[in-house]
RNA sequence: UCCUCCUUAGCUCAGUUGGUUAGAGCGGCUGACUGUUAAUCAGUAGGUCCCUGGUUCAAGCCCAGGAGGGGGAGCCA
């Protein structure tokens, strides 16, 4: 008989049908003449209750081997439950144990565990309700991202993970090398001789696919990337990872307003998609971790994001009368406390800040006519701060070359990038969304290490 | 990297002014129980008090260094 997924049994409830279910036992409750088993197979957060009567053939032997964490198959009739708490249950005719889990050493118990403890057993934590919900939401968001862009006619572009230039400027990079680390070849001046390395030059793990993505947008019009990125920053916070996933759409003929429109529509689409696909998981997370999760998601879904310029934000911050730890002034970047004030206290909704001073932003952002600001935008969310950073790109060759020179960047490294402006340049825009930052918001988890299966952070690459 | 807090049983934590044999709840195990659902009830086992060094008659507790973790900040997504 073909195995049924527990989710479909709850949906279709084929009462008085003989079925096979397979999964992992969450708890066993024994009494004299029967046992209850709670079975979870990952298809839903809900467990199927299995009732095993002591009269079942081989009962004593099989029930003795079953404990929390064991993997079993159960065959029997799906019946309406006599007890409260579930509509249907399985009246077992036979049980087969695939894998036992020694209760003396199995680290997961049926009671709750701290997230800190579960991080130490990341290979097993997916067996908990919490991480089952997080994994399912992560899957749904990944699928929803592709669906959103595909429906809009965007092309999915694969940008390289190993990059030959260190010019993306988004942070410290990991080196990629096959040189013998015990005997590194040196040039006469003492510098490492990368000419004998695999790629015959110094290579790194990518920190952003944007520059490559721009080349595709200037041919295919609308593209997006969705892949891993790497930052070797020594960042020890609940919002940073050394390895994370990023979504970077890039659109020809979009100005900054079009860019902001797309970002807002995109985020709302994903929240709506989470409600459509993971309602029960969201309800669980709302109940267990963050009682305002669902209302916050609904609020973001149903209200326009507040848009204002950096300059207007500085005015609000300097006249609001609130004392900040870091001073506010035009020309300096906003600190976390400033962003939080705007989002959580002043506007009480997501905020899109635009037109930042050019001196605190990257070289590729389109200069405004005032000579002081660039067409940058940051989308700020309650609780997590910057979730999206983007800009209209500088499409004018001369302006871009001038900016590269002013910032003393190695112009020769950008020759391929500048070709996009040299030949058939076009106004275009794009943004980057940190996938795990999105998941923090959608799941209500507080620490980014809990929304990626195996987090990589400074000093930690276990599993 | 900086600030700050923490580290005691499998887990979550108490542990008084430095004082004899370090406790609880949960989990595990044993047993009871005819519908439980974080089952209930009774019993029971379980400890490198993070590591190293120091102070002291005596250290889980005080001091120094180290390791690991949490929260906050910076950097950013």
């Amino acid at each position: 008989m073909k195995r049924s997924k527990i989710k479909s049994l709850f949906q279709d409830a084929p009462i008085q049908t003989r079925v096979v279910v397979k999964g992992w036992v969450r708890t066993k409750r024994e009494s004299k003449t029967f046992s209850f088993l709670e079975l979870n197979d990952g298809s839903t957060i809900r467990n199927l209750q299995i009732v095993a009567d002591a009269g079942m053939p081989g009962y004593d032997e099989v029930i003795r081997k079953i404990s929390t964490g064991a993997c079993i198959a159960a065959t029997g009739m799906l019946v309406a439950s006599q007890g409260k708490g579930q509509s249907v249950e399985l009246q077992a005719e036979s049980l087969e144990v695939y894998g036992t889990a020694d209760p003396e050493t199995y680290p997961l118990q049926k009671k709750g565990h701290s997230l800190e403890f579960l991080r130490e057993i990341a290979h097993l934590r997916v067996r908990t309700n919490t991480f089952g919900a997080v994994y399912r939401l992560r899957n749904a968001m990944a699928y929803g991202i592709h669906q959103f862009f595909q429906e809009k006619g965007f092309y999915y572009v694969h940008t390289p993970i190993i990059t030959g230039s260190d010019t993306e400027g988004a942070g410290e990079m990991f080196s990629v090398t096959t040189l013998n680390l015990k005997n590194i070849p040196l040039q006469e001046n003492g510098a490492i001789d990368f000419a004998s390395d695999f790629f015959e030059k110094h290579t790194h793990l990518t920190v952003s696919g944007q520059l490559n993505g721009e080349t595709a947008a200037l041919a295919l019009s609308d593209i997006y990337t969705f892949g891993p990125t790497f930052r070797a920053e020594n960042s020890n916070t609940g919002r940073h990872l050394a390895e994370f996933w990023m979504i970077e759409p890039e659109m020809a003929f979009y100005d900054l307003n079009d860019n902001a429109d797309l970002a807002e529509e995109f985020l709302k689409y994903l929240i709506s998609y989470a409600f459509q696909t993971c309602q029960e998981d969201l309800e669980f997370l709302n109940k267990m971790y963050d009682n305002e999760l669902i209302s916050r998601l609904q609020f973001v879904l149903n209200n326009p994001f507040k848009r204002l310029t950096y300059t207007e934000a500085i005015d609000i911050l300097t006249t609001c009368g609130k004392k900040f730890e870091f001073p506010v002034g035009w020309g300096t970047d906003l600190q976390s406390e400033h962003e939080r004030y705007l989002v959580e206290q002043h506007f009480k909704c997501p905020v899109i800040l635009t037109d930042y001073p050019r001196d605190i932003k990257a070289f590729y952002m389109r200069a405004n006519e005032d000579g002081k600001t660039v067409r940058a935008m940051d989308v700020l969310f309650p609780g997590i701060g910057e979730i999206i950073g983007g800009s209209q790109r500088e499409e004018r060759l001369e302006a871009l070359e001038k900016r590269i020179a002013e910032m003393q960047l190695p112009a020769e490294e950008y020759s391929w990038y500048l070709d996009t402006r040299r030949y058939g340049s076009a106004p275009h825009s794009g943004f980057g969304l940190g996938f795990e930052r999105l998941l923090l918001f959608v799941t209500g988890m507080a620490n980014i290490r809990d929304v990626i299966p195996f987090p990589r952070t400074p000093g930690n690459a276990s599993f």
Side-chain angles (χ1 to χ4, degrees):
Chain A
M1 204 181 346
K2 197 162 182 262
R3 169 222 184 180
S4 298
K5 290 272 185 88
I6 289 171
K7 183 181 184 180
S8 70
L9 294 182
F10 280 124
Q11 269 170 2
D12 307 336
I15 299 289
Q16 298 302 325
T17 309
R18 213 159 154 263
V19 298
V20 181
V21 291
K22 302 184 178 186
W24 293 265
V25 173
R26 287 292 174 77
T27 93
K28 175 177 74 169
R29 292 183 291 275
E30 273 187 280
S31 69
K32 194 174 188 180
T33 56
F34 54 85
S35 295
F36 296 108
L37 305 176
E38 295 283 337
L39 197 72
N40 188 282
D41 67 1
S43 60
T44 166
I45 196 163
R46 293 159 74 185
N47 302 324
L48 181 65
Q49 175 162 285
I50 297 169
V51 187
D53 197 271
M56 191 182 76
Y59 174 86
D60 285 339
E61 194 193 347
V62 75
I63 213 74
R64 188 160 27 88
K65 287 156 72 178
I66 294 173
S67 56
T68 298
C71 182
I72 67 166
T75 306
M77 292 291 271
L78 195 74
V79 297
S81 179
Q82 296 173 35
K84 299 180 184 105
Q86 60 280 318
S87 54
V88 296
E89 65 192 16
L90 189 80
Q91 186 67 50
E93 294 164 11
S94 69
L95 298 173
E96 181 186 352
V97 178
Y98 288 126
T100 58
D102 180 0
E104 297 276 5
T105 57
Y106 185 62
L108 294 174
Q109 50 192 47
K110 50 187 152 188
K111 302 270 277 192
H113 289 290
S114 70
L115 294 171
E116 291 80 9
F117 172 68
L118 292 172
R119 266 172 225 148
E120 296 169 6
I121 49 168
H123 56 306
L124 295 174
R125 66 180 179 169
V126 65
R127 300 184 183 199
T128 63
N129 287 332
T130 299
F131 285 92
V134 168
Y135 271 58
R136 279 186 294 272
L137 272 158
R138 190 179 165 103
N139 167 72
M141 290 300 91
Y143 196 82
I145 285 161
H146 283 294
Q147 191 168 290
F148 174 82
F149 287 122
Q150 294 294 325
E151 283 171 359
K152 286 190 167 300
F154 282 53
Y155 296 109
Y156 178 31
V157 169
H158 297 96
T159 53
I161 290 169
I162 297 173
T163 173
S165 59
D166 57 359
T167 51
E168 286 145 343
E172 290 296 312
M173 300 202 284
F174 290 101
S175 287
V176 175
T177 183
T178 57
L179 291 177
N180 181 355
L181 297 182
K182 289 179 190 157
N183 184 19
I184 297 173
L186 299 177
Q187 295 173 315
E188 282 176 13
N189 64 7
I192 296 172
D193 181 18
F194 285 105
S196 59
D197 203 349
F198 186 91
F199 295 106
E200 300 180 5
K201 65 185 298 192
H202 193 187
T203 50
H204 304 89
L205 294 177
T206 184
V207 294
S208 163
Q210 180 198 315
L211 301 189
N212 299 282
E214 284 184 55
T215 69
L218 292 177
L220 302 173
S221 291
D222 298 322
I223 66 95
Y224 67 105
T225 73
F226 185 0
T229 48
F230 307 87
R231 304 276 167 91
E233 303 283 357
N234 191 12
S235 296
N236 293 286
T237 82
R239 297 180 308 283
H240 291 87
L241 292 164
E243 176 183 291
F244 64 100
W245 289 64
M246 192 154 61
I247 300 99
E248 294 179 287
E250 195 72 35
M251 298 75 65
F253 318 116
Y254 272 49
D255 67 14
L256 190 62
N257 273 328
D258 300 327
N259 204 20
D261 287 346
L262 184 76
E264 182 169 344
E265 184 187 352
F266 178 48
L267 290 167
K268 287 178 172 174
Y269 181 98
L270 293 175
I271 292 167
S272 169
Y273 192 74
F275 279 124
Q276 282 171 43
T277 56
C278 300
Q279 180 71 33
E280 289 180 339
D281 292 317
L282 289 173
E283 283 167 8
F284 174 83
L285 294 167
N286 189 79
K287 187 172 130 203
M288 299 300 289
Y289 293 100
D290 182 352
N291 297 145
E292 286 162 16
L293 172 63
I294 286 176
S295 59
R296 191 164 56 243
L297 291 173
Q298 280 167 343
F299 181 85
V300 168
L301 192 56
N302 296 325
N303 289 280
F305 296 2
K306 178 67 188 176
R307 296 188 195 182
L308 68 160
T309 66
Y310 167 90
T311 303
E312 289 166 336
I314 293 293
D315 285 346
I316 289 168
L317 291 167
T318 49
T319 57
C320 70
K322 187 173 165 63
K323 269 229 156 184
F324 294 107
E325 189 185 340
F326 291 90
V328 180
W330 201 97
T332 61
D333 212 351
L334 296 181
Q335 303 295 315
S336 287
E337 55 173 340
H338 307 141
E339 295 179 349
R340 293 186 69 121
Y341 175 81
L342 290 170
V343 172
E344 292 165 20
Q345 291 186 50
H346 189 83
F347 291 113
K348 295 188 166 64
C349 75
V351 169
I352 304 182
L353 283 185
T354 62
D355 300 288
Y356 282 72
R358 71 169 201 169
D359 291 339
I360 59 172
K361 287 292 182 182
F363 74 94
Y364 49 72
M365 295 188 180
R366 178 64 153 80
N368 277 317
E369 281 65 38
D370 62 12
K372 296 187 299 184
T373 60
V374 291
R375 291 182 195 168
M377 67 168 196
D378 283 0
V379 181
L380 309 180
F381 261 30
I384 55 175
E386 184 184 343
I387 190 168
I388 277 179
S391 67
Q392 184 173 334
R393 317 306 190 190
E394 180 57 80
E395 82 280 13
R396 299 164 300 181
L397 179 64
E398 297 77 19
L400 193 54
E401 284 177 328
K402 185 162 165 258
R403 196 73 189 118
I404 286 172
E406 279 171 1
M407 294 177 75
Q408 300 184 324
L409 298 169
E412 61 284 358
E413 292 281 341
Y414 294 98
S415 63
W416 61 273
Y417 182 66
L418 290 167
D419 270 359
T420 60
R421 275 56 167 177
R422 190 170 284 119
Y423 308 117
S425 188
H428 63 289
S429 299
F431 61 81
L433 168 69
F435 188 46
E436 286 77 15
R437 294 259 175 100
L438 170 75
L439 286 168
L440 280 181
F441 187 74
V442 172
T443 62
M445 291 284 101
N447 193 310
I448 203 163
R449 296 173 181 92
D450 297 329
V451 297
I452 188 168
F454 298 104
R456 270 79 179 98
T457 52
N460 198 337
S462 305
F463 312 104

